[in-house]
Amino acid sequence: MTGASTENRAVERAVRATLHWSLRYTTGLDPVVAADRQHEILSDLHEQAAWASEAGISERAVARSIRARMLRGIPADLSWRRTQLTGEERAMWSAPRVDGLLLAAVMLIGIAQVAVGAFIAARQTRALLIGDITFIPSSAEITIALGSIALVATALLWHRSTRHWGAALLAVTGVLIFAQSVESLYYLSATALLVINGVTWLEPAAYAIGFGVAIVCLAAAAQWAKPVHLTSAATARKEAR
């Protein structure tokens, strides 16, 4: 299979995924309204692909942009469906607003991870100074290292061009840092030792939180990884019609 055909199929899969989603959220609506919505989406996708072809943008970049637009548009699509069913106009979630909320969520995740790493570092230092412990547990080393990486990742969120890398790093650190911090406190805090022994589900819960954090960060990384000009140009063409 050639590289060109692989890229073309990537765009086809992205288009099919978008159309499949449109069929899902228009199910049960007036057939004419549903058909108009799907035709509008097809037209928009066609214009985006045509513009990208003229601009020399790769098919893979177009496919990523189509999928990202579909994910970002889910709240607006659901709001549109609710309006069609109830006849009540509701506030639409614009793309900038969704992006801002997502950035705030990922930024909060980054700050929380940095705080966890700093807290374990402080507890470890205190334990060594007062003689409660004479070694550094591997879980504490891992937690401190992950907190340091999270600090760098959070800094990357400030710039649009590096934001997706920051979110991706926070997804990786998020999977482990909370569970490792719980294990660290087993050695560094007598109170935490009693809690951990009494609450057997604490560490699995920490892993569950970590995986949830990772999903949010990966979704953000997928959105921010797309070229910014793809969506704005396609939107401008649509508005110019």
Side-chain angles (χ1 to χ4, degrees):
M1 181 181 293
T2 64
S5 62
T6 300
E7 291 190 351
N8 288 334
R9 291 197 175 188
V11 173
E12 291 175 5
R13 288 194 296 269
V15 170
R16 283 199 300 269
T18 302
L19 292 178
H20 179 71
W21 165 240
S22 71
L23 290 172
R24 292 289 300 275
Y25 74 80
T26 57
T27 299
L29 300 180
D30 184 302
V32 175
V33 173
D36 287 344
R37 183 74 168 184
Q38 289 149 20
H39 290 157
E40 179 184 354
I41 292 170
L42 274 173
S43 176
D44 187 59
L45 293 175
H46 174 74
E47 288 191 2
Q48 179 178 355
W51 175 86
S53 178
E54 293 172 2
I57 296 172
S58 72
E59 298 287 342
R60 291 188 183 277
V62 176
R64 288 196 300 270
S65 175
I66 290 173
R67 290 184 181 278
R69 289 182 65 197
M70 179 190 71
L71 292 173
R72 290 198 319 275
I74 288 176
D77 292 334
L78 295 178
S79 179
W80 175 87
R81 173 183 171 83
R82 187 183 304 112
T83 299
Q84 299 303 315
L85 291 173
T86 64
E88 298 177 358
E89 291 291 340
R90 294 176 180 267
M92 300 292 285
W93 284 44
S94 63
R97 183 181 178 188
V98 172
D99 191 79
L101 290 174
L102 191 58
L103 176 59
V106 176
M107 187 72 72
L108 183 61
I109 288 171
I111 293 172
Q113 292 188 34
V114 173
V116 168
F119 175 73
I120 294 301
R123 293 293 303 190
Q124 177 66 58
T125 302
R126 179 178 181 276
L128 290 172
L129 289 176
I130 66 177
D132 276 356
I133 193 172
T134 58
F135 67 100
I136 302 177
S138 60
S139 55
E141 292 178 344
I142 293 172
T143 303
I144 295 169
L146 291 173
S148 301
I149 296 172
L151 179 61
V152 175
T154 303
L156 292 176
L157 297 176
W158 290 102
H159 299 283
R160 181 63 178 80
S161 60
T162 59
R163 192 167 291 166
H164 60 292
W165 291 113
L169 281 175
L170 288 175
V172 175
T173 55
V175 171
L176 295 174
I177 191 168
F178 300 107
Q180 289 297 313
S181 66
V182 170
E183 185 176 340
S184 299
L185 290 175
Y186 183 89
Y187 298 97
L188 303 177
S189 170
T191 302
L193 175 61
L194 294 175
V195 172
I196 294 170
N197 286 334
V199 184
T200 57
W201 48 264
L202 189 59
E203 189 169 354
Y207 274 112
I209 292 172
F211 280 110
V213 161
I215 290 171
V216 173
C217 292
L218 287 176
Q223 175 173 331
W224 295 329
K226 73 181 192 314
V228 178
H229 55 274
L230 280 178
T231 300
S232 58
T235 303
R237 286 178 61 90
K238 182 177 179 181
E239 292 176 349
R241 292 175 58 188

